[in-house]
């Protein structure tokens, strides 16, 4: 939700008209570290460039200090995923300029030790050193996207990527997996085929390549995104897959929902997205702002910063779409309430004390957890205790400066420190994406509209109920009922905490408790478009200190978007307790307060602050589709709660995605994106498992051979196919059509049973029968399709036949069904299939 302070909201296109011409300033443009021109491209060590800007005015501001924002690292901690579980940190190696495909073959040959022991020449040692360097680089790329150095992920273990855990096969698999991943990351604009992956590896390792390739492909680590070649290959892949896949309903068209939809469609699933808003994107919202004299800018009112570009999937999308990246410069000058710059020496001293206190809190919490596993208290309480004990920031200016750092910490976590868990507030630190923080010129809405293109999204569908059972799911939204095989819920944690969606049956108690334990915090923004850039475009951020500690988060940080938005745009952040109070403040009052802050900074320097031509104030806490901004680990919660929230329910019928389901990357846009890929893989795996179970049931049924010899049609006649697209009842592989002219228990119904499996090389086998309505109810109570098939013949005397064997009674019933459907134009979500197929075709285009 956002409000304007001056003029009513105007209708807006999704992006500024001139967005294609938007370019960052030459001094700040950065290329994705995984560029397409050389291999590998992940930088192992970077020197910080000196991009110190001139002072805001000539009178005298001291040189501004560089500081880290939205980083939760502090001294004596290892800021790397390699620190987890004692993993070793790979040594630094210079980047190779030429990609040698023979290296993989040689390293594998060395690892299986066929003839390695007999080769001790200097040349052999030199060559192995080159191979080891190549493998180290590929391992670094794998680490950057979340893989451990020398072990398998839980997903890989569940997918049985190697027959035996540990040993040579697993070691070789990891090398192969890293190689395939690194090879695709070297050029993300092309589809990496299995044959390409095999080119540099000997044929005897084909099984390892196949296993690694399938895992990476199905889980969205390779061949994902929006490059033309990728989209074309995804469509061809789905079209060539003759297997009948499940129907999936996705609730929410945010980053998680859009990403999952594209991945599922590429896997051959039918997908429909239900979105409560009239736009896609959810908490990623780019708003076009404009004023007189042609001033225009694109403002990110929600997710705005790519927090770490190394390994970031949004960085991949940027490369594929040709979006430049603007590095957020680390320079952030701070100003006192009187407009004077903070003394550099004091700034350095207080920042150092701030980090040391955090370090002490984390050390004591570790000692406490070693003694008592369940202890927890708020980070704010622990921090304040240490501050008093060590007498830090007792001077008024030092206290204001310390409060600014605490406000920045509340911004990073969208939470008051008094609500943040001391024990687990930073549980995601070891997985933090490396590299620069970046803006996307033109706003992150460019990602959203590119992802949403040609997807079957139904807007203004506010979901009220999700009902699930062994036969599938039903989603109730806007007076309509949507039926599917599975549902993926991607709504924000705030919506789940409010109970806005009813689940039938209720969610399992552990999931309900995790929803309540996790926190969902608040961050608000004031986006101001000015007639000109009065603050100087040579910096991306500057901060403001306040004397009132209760208001430390109000307009404490300003982001300058002049170089990336297309116009003179300034965004003020409101965090912590101030973000909550801000929701009750009128837009006019909010604008006056923020302008007072700006005048206090710039007026003493002789710089006039002009009136803004347009202002937008966000109200994310009042937005009924979010009720907040992003998740955090509250007191009493832990990282385990993210995993519990991500678990599916209903025996693989209801799935969950979104940033609050991603333990490693919560509260980030890339965390939401990756959760969508994760759940697409989980849905595919659940569908395959369910399909195999059905096949086993049928193949083990003693009456199956009697049915398959019937003179039946392979496939299905068009008239029956249309009717059974919207059955009155379905369970397992059984679909039922009731007599439209009678609700009597003895009325005749049409039953269809689908048989399938590899033994039927020509596809699914459909058989039909006539059954009484009361017998349908009894059949529905029987567990398992195999038992139901037996009951048809043994208990009900129903004979399954082909389409032409239904006789006069059957033909009369079919005619009645067809007439009723035409005359009354019955509306049901099964009737969405045609629209889905049309959307699927458009998706390819």
């Amino acid at each position: 939700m956002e409000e304007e302070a001056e003029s009513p909201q105007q209708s807006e296109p999704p992006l500024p008209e001139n967005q294609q011409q938007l370019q960052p300033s030459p001094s700040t443009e950065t290329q994705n570290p995984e560029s397409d021109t050389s291999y590998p491209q992940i930088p192992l060590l970077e020197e910080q460039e000196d991009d110190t800007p001139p002072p805001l005015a000539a009178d005298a501001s001291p040189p501004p200090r560089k500081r880290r924002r939205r980083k939760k690292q502090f001294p004596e901690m290892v800021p790397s995923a390699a620190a987890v579980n004692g993993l070793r940190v790979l040594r630094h190696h210079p980047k190779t300029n030429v990609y040698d495909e023979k290296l993989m073959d040689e390293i594998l040959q060395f690892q299986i030790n066929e003839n390695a022991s007999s080769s001790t020449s200097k040349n052999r040692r030199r060559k192995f050193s080159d191979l080891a360097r190549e493998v180290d680089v590929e391992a670094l790329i794998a680490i950057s996207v979340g893989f451990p150095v020398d072990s398998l992920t839980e997903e890989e273990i569940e997918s049985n990527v190697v027959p035996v855990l540990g040993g040579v096969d697993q070691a070789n698999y990891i090398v192969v997996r890293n190689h395939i991943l690194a090879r695709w990351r070297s050029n993300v604009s092309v589809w990496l085929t299995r044959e390409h992956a095999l080119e540099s590896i000997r044929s005897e390792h084909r099984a390892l390549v196949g296993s690694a390739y399938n895992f990476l492909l199905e889980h969205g680590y390779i061949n994902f995104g929006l490059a033309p070649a990728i989209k074309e290959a995804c469509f061809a892949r789905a079209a060539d897959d003759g297997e009948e896949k499940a129907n999936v309903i996705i609730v929410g068209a945010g980053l998680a929902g859009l990403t999952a939809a594209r991945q599922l469609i590429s896997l051959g699933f039918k997908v429909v997205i239900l979105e409560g808003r009239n736009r896609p994107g959810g908490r990623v919202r780019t708003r076009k702002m404009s004023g007189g004299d042609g001033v225009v800018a694109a403002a990110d009112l929600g997710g705005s910063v790519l927090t770490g570009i190394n390994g970031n999937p949004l960085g991949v999308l940027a490369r594929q779409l040709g979006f430049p990246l603007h590095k957020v410069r680390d320079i952030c000058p701070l100003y006192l309430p009187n407009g004077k710059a903070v003394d550099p020496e004091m700034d350095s001293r207080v920042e150092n004390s701030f980090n040391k206190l955090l370090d002490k809190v984390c050390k004591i919490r570790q000692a406490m957890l070693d003694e008592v596993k369940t202890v927890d208290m708020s980070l704010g309480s622990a921090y304040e205790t240490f501050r008093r004990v060590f007498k830090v920031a007792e001077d008024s200016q030092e206290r204001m400066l310390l409060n600014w750092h605490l406000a920045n910490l509340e911004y990073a976590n969208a939470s008051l420190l008094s609500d943040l868990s001391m024990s687990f507030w930073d549980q995601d630190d070891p997985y933090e994406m490396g590299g620069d923080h970046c803006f996307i010129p033109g706003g992150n809405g460019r990602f959203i509209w590119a992802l949403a293109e040609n997807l079957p999204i139904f807007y203004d569908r506010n979901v009220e109920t999700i009902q699930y059972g062994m036969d599938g799911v039903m989603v109730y939204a806007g007076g309509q009922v949507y039926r599917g095989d599975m549902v993926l819920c991607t709504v924000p944690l705030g919506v789940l905490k409010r109970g806005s969606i009813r689940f039938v049956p209720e969610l399992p108690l552990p999931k309900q408790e995790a929803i309540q334990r996790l926190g969902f915090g608040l961050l608000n923004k004031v986006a101001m478009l000015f007639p000109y850039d009065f603050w100087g475009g040579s910096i991306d951020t500057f901060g403001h200190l306040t004397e009132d500690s209760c208001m430390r988060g109000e307009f404490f940080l300003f982001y300058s978007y002049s170089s990336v938005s297309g116009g003179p745009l300034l965004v003020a952040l409101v965090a912590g307790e101030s973000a909550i109070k801000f929701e009750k403040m009128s837009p006019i009052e909010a604008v006056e307060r923020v302008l007072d802050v700006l005048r206090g900074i710039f007026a003493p320097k002789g710089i006039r602050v002009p009136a803004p031509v347009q202002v937008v104030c966000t109200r994310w806490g009042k937005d009924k589709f979010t009720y907040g901004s992003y998740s955090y680990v509250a007191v009493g919660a832990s990282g385990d709660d993210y995993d519990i929230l991500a678990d599916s329910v209903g025996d693989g019928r209801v799935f969950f995605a979104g940033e609050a389901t991603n333990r490693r990357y919560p509260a980030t846009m890339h965390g939401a994106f990756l959760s969508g890929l994760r759940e697409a893989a989980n849905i595919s795996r659940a569908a395959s498992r369910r399909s195999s179970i059905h096949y086993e049931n049928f193949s083990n049924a003693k009456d199956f051979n009697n049915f398959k010899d019937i003179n039946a049609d392979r496939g299905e006649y068009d008239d029956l196919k249309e009717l059974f697209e919207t059955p009155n009842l379905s369970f397992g592989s059984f679909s039922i059509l009731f007599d439209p002219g009678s609700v009597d228990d003895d009325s005749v119904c049409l039953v269809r049973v689908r048989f399938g499996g590899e033994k039927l090389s020509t596809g699914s086998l459909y058989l039909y029968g006539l059954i009484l309505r009361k017998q349908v109810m009894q059949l529905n109570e029987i567990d398992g399709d195999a038992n139901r098939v037996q009951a048809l013949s043994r208990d009900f005397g129903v004979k399954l036949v082909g389409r032409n064997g239904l006789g006069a009674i059957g033909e009369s019933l079919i005619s009645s069904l067809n007439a009723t459907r035409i005359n009354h134009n019955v509306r049901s979500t099964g009737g969405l299939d045609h629209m889905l197929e049309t959307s699927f075709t458009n998706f390819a285009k």
Side-chain angles (χ1 to χ4, degrees):
M1 173 181 291
E2 65 263 3
E3 297 178 342
E4 284 197 41
E6 296 193 305
S7 58
Q9 181 171 331
Q10 302 171 1
S11 60
E12 53 171 310
L15 294 170
E17 295 91 333
N18 63 342
Q19 71 171 20
Q20 298 303 321
Q21 286 73 45
L22 294 175
Q23 294 292 334
S25 60
S27 62
T28 58
E29 184 173 349
T30 179
Q31 293 299 321
N32 194 306
E34 301 164 0
S35 69
D36 296 343
T37 57
S38 61
Y39 175 93
Q41 291 296 323
I42 294 293
L44 302 180
L45 187 64
E46 292 184 359
E47 294 184 0
Q48 180 64 53
E49 64 184 23
D50 183 10
D51 52 3
T52 303
L56 289 176
D59 68 344
S61 301
R65 285 177 45 76
K66 296 183 179 180
R67 65 189 77 248
R68 296 165 71 85
R69 298 168 313 283
R70 291 226 61 189
K71 295 282 187 178
K72 295 176 284 183
Q73 307 292 349
F74 26 87
E76 302 179 28
M77 292 194 67
V78 181
S80 167
V84 183
N85 299 325
L87 300 179
R88 67 183 178 91
V89 180
L90 294 177
R91 64 189 182 281
H92 167 67
H93 289 301
K95 291 189 286 186
T96 57
N97 293 322
V98 180
Y99 174 44
D100 185 355
E101 293 181 346
K102 296 180 180 179
L103 289 177
M104 278 308 300
D105 186 43
E106 294 181 33
I107 194 64
L108 282 175
Q109 184 177 3
F110 185 90
Q111 284 194 342
I112 61 177
N113 204 24
E114 291 178 339
N115 299 303
S117 61
S118 63
S119 176
T120 58
S121 67
K122 291 183 179 179
N123 183 57
R124 178 63 176 175
R125 288 196 297 273
R126 181 190 62 77
K127 289 184 67 177
F128 181 67
S129 175
D130 292 341
L131 304 180
R133 180 172 64 250
E134 185 77 12
V135 172
D136 269 8
V137 170
E138 292 177 345
L140 279 174
I141 294 175
I143 290 171
S144 74
V145 298
F147 283 103
V149 175
D150 52 6
S151 60
L152 303 178
T153 64
E154 291 182 9
E155 290 83 2
E156 287 176 307
I157 294 173
E158 291 175 1
S159 299
N160 298 317
V161 294
V162 291
V164 179
L165 295 179
V168 173
D169 270 352
Q170 177 172 312
N172 286 342
Y173 166 85
I174 290 173
V175 174
V176 170
R177 174 249 281 159
N178 293 351
H179 170 69
I180 295 173
L181 180 63
R183 183 164 184 183
W184 184 69
R185 285 274 175 154
S186 71
N187 188 358
V188 296
S189 295
V190 300
W191 181 274
L192 180 67
T193 66
R194 192 189 311 268
E195 290 69 28
H196 290 153
L198 279 165
E199 285 177 357
S200 56
I201 301 175
R202 291 174 58 173
S203 59
E204 53 260 43
H205 306 303
R206 180 179 295 271
L208 284 177
V209 174
S211 180
Y213 181 85
N214 288 339
F215 174 82
L216 293 172
L217 181 64
E218 291 171 6
H219 288 75
Y221 288 103
I222 62 173
N223 295 338
F224 69 84
L226 298 167
I230 299 293
K231 292 197 292 185
E232 182 179 349
C234 283
F235 176 70
R237 177 186 176 206
D240 290 342
D241 189 352
E243 182 182 354
E244 184 177 346
K245 294 291 183 68
N247 299 310
V248 182
I249 301 169
I250 297 178
V251 180
L255 268 174
L258 297 175
T259 304
R262 284 195 166 270
Q263 186 73 356
L264 286 169
I265 289 174
S266 75
L267 294 173
F269 288 83
K270 288 184 178 180
V271 173
V272 62
I273 304 175
L274 305 180
E275 168 56 49
R277 304 178 190 271
N278 61 2
R279 62 167 180 85
R283 286 168 281 170
V284 179
R285 166 73 157 136
T286 300
R287 167 79 184 272
K288 179 186 175 181
M289 299 178 66
S290 60
D293 299 326
V295 178
V296 64
D300 276 324
L301 303 180
S304 57
V305 183
L306 273 62
T307 49
I309 200 62
N310 290 356
N312 196 317
L314 297 179
V316 172
L317 294 192
R319 292 168 63 194
Q320 292 174 333
L321 296 169
F323 295 170
L325 302 176
H326 174 91
K327 174 187 173 183
V328 182
R329 289 163 287 193
D330 291 327
I331 300 166
C332 183
L334 300 182
Y335 296 94
L336 295 168
N338 61 9
K340 292 183 179 180
V342 172
D343 176 68
E345 188 277 330
M346 179 188 292
D347 190 359
S348 178
R349 184 175 66 252
V350 172
E351 185 172 16
N352 187 47
S353 298
F354 166 77
N355 285 326
K356 284 185 175 180
L357 283 180
L358 272 182
D359 192 25
K360 291 181 183 298
V361 170
C362 290
K363 285 181 177 179
I364 193 67
R365 67 116 179 254
Q366 189 58 52
M368 293 169 63
L369 288 172
D370 289 342
E371 293 293 328
V372 185
K373 298 297 183 184
T374 58
V375 69
D376 199 5
M377 63 185 298
S378 77
L379 178 65
S381 297
Y383 192 93
E384 178 60 17
T385 299
F386 275 94
R387 187 196 68 78
R388 290 176 178 174
V389 168
F390 290 97
K391 298 181 179 179
V392 172
E394 295 192 317
D395 174 82
S396 61
Q397 283 197 15
E398 289 183 349
R399 190 62 187 275
M400 282 192 291
L401 190 51
L402 181 65
N403 276 329
W404 186 92
H405 287 287
L406 294 176
N408 196 36
L409 195 59
E410 291 179 325
Y411 157 47
N413 294 275
S415 167
L416 279 69
L417 295 187
S418 58
D419 295 332
L420 205 57
S421 166
M422 181 196 71
S423 298
F424 302 107
W425 69 279
D426 57 346
Q427 61 85 36
D428 59 309
D429 268 11
Y431 311 103
E432 192 172 55
M433 294 282 183
D436 296 326
H437 288 198
C438 295
F439 292 138
I440 294 294
N444 293 312
R446 300 175 71 187
F447 284 138
I448 297 301
W449 291 103
L451 285 168
E453 184 180 13
N454 292 327
L455 287 181
I457 305 174
F458 294 87
Y459 296 108
D460 299 314
R461 300 297 197 277
N462 192 10
V463 171
E464 301 112 15
T465 303
I466 295 176
Q467 186 173 344
Y468 60 97
M470 61 182 299
D471 301 322
V473 299
M474 290 190 294
V475 178
Y476 297 78
Q480 292 179 292
V481 182
Y482 299 81
R483 303 187 184 196
D485 298 299
M486 291 174 278
V487 62
L488 173 60
C489 181
T490 72
V491 299
L493 174 61
V495 174
L496 296 177
K497 292 176 80 70
R498 284 293 185 103
S500 302
I501 296 178
R502 187 169 67 103
F503 290 86
V504 181
E506 289 187 349
L507 295 175
L509 186 59
K511 187 178 286 288
Q512 293 185 47
E513 293 174 342
I515 290 171
Q516 295 308 314
R517 279 193 299 265
L518 281 173
F520 197 67
L522 188 60
L523 174 74
N524 276 312
K525 299 181 179 182
V526 180
M528 299 167 286
L529 182 64
F530 289 94
Y532 57 88
D533 178 349
F534 63 87
W535 57 92
S538 57
I539 56 173
D540 291 324
T541 57
F542 59 91
H544 166 256
L545 278 57
T546 181
E547 295 175 346
D548 186 353
S549 61
C550 294
M551 301 300 292
R552 65 191 179 198
E554 184 178 271
F555 318 131
F556 81 103
L557 185 64
F558 290 82
Y559 273 101
S560 169
Y561 284 84
S562 294
S563 58
V564 295
S565 67
L569 180 70
L570 199 61
V571 175
L573 301 187
V574 190
E577 184 178 354
S578 298
I580 300 172
K581 295 177 179 178
F582 181 80
E583 301 250 325
K584 302 175 183 178
M585 192 184 301
S586 72
I588 294 176
E589 180 185 358
V591 173
E592 283 303 317
R593 291 173 73 99
V594 72
L595 289 178
D596 284 344
V597 170
L598 291 173
R599 293 184 191 112
I601 294 173
F602 292 98
K605 304 175 182 8
I607 300 174
R608 188 181 72 87
V609 177
V613 297
Q614 189 180 19
V615 178
V616 176
C617 301
T618 67
R619 299 283 190 270
W620 288 108
K622 291 183 177 180
D623 190 322
K624 69 177 182 178
F625 297 112
T626 61
Y627 294 114
S629 300
Y630 41 91
S631 63
Y632 66 91
V633 184
V635 177
S638 73
D640 292 341
D641 291 317
Y642 288 110
D643 290 337
I644 295 172
L645 193 56
D647 288 340
S648 64
V649 302
D651 192 24
R653 293 295 182 183
V654 184
F655 297 80
F656 294 85
E659 55 85 10
T661 71
N662 196 323
R663 180 176 190 161
R664 291 189 173 191
Y665 311 110
T668 63
M669 291 185 291
H670 59 267
F673 186 98
L674 290 171
S675 74
L677 293 178
R678 179 199 69 212
E679 289 312 302
N682 288 337
I683 288 171
S684 178
R685 195 160 52 241
S688 298
R689 185 166 56 246
R690 186 171 292 114
S691 178
S692 65
I693 291 173
H694 285 176
Y695 171 72
E696 290 297 326
N697 286 339
F698 288 137
S699 62
N700 292 332
K702 66 179 182 179
D703 293 330
F704 178 71
N705 289 331
N706 296 331
F707 296 137
K708 74 176 184 178
D709 291 333
I710 297 174
N711 182 22
D713 300 296
R714 299 294 175 92
E716 191 171 17
Y717 275 69
D718 288 341
D719 59 344
L720 291 188
K721 182 177 181 180
E722 283 191 19
L723 289 173
F724 278 105
E725 283 178 349
T726 56
N728 298 113
L729 183 64
S730 63
F731 41 87
S733 293
F734 286 68
S735 300
I736 309 295
L737 294 174
F738 295 144
D739 183 350
S742 174
V743 294
D744 190 85
D745 285 346
D746 290 322
S747 60
V748 176
C749 307
L750 181 62
V751 59
R752 183 191 71 174
V753 184
R754 180 174 63 84
F755 298 90
E758 295 178 357
K759 292 183 179 181
L760 298 176
S761 59
T762 57
S764 297
L765 169 68
Y766 294 95
L767 298 176
Y768 307 88
L770 301 177
I771 185 174
L772 299 182
R773 192 179 186 120
K774 61 183 179 183
Q775 293 172 336
V776 169
M777 301 303 131
Q778 297 172 29
L779 193 65
N780 190 23
E781 297 298 321
I782 299 174
D783 291 332
D785 285 333
N787 294 330
R788 294 182 185 122
V789 169
Q790 294 177 7
L792 278 177
S793 175
R794 182 188 61 214
D795 301 334
F796 304 143
V798 174
K799 181 179 180 182
L800 293 180
V801 297
R803 168 67 177 83
N804 296 328
L806 287 171
I809 295 177
E811 295 300 331
S812 175
L813 177 58
I814 292 171
S815 297
S816 178
L817 287 165
N818 279 321
T820 302
R821 295 288 171 97
I822 293 172
N823 291 337
H824 295 282
N825 191 20
V826 173
R827 185 173 61 183
S828 162
T829 56
L832 288 172
D833 278 356
H834 173 69
M835 284 184 282
L836 292 180
E837 290 169 2
T838 303
S839 298
F840 183 66
T841 303
N842 291 336
F843 169 76
K845 299 177 181 177

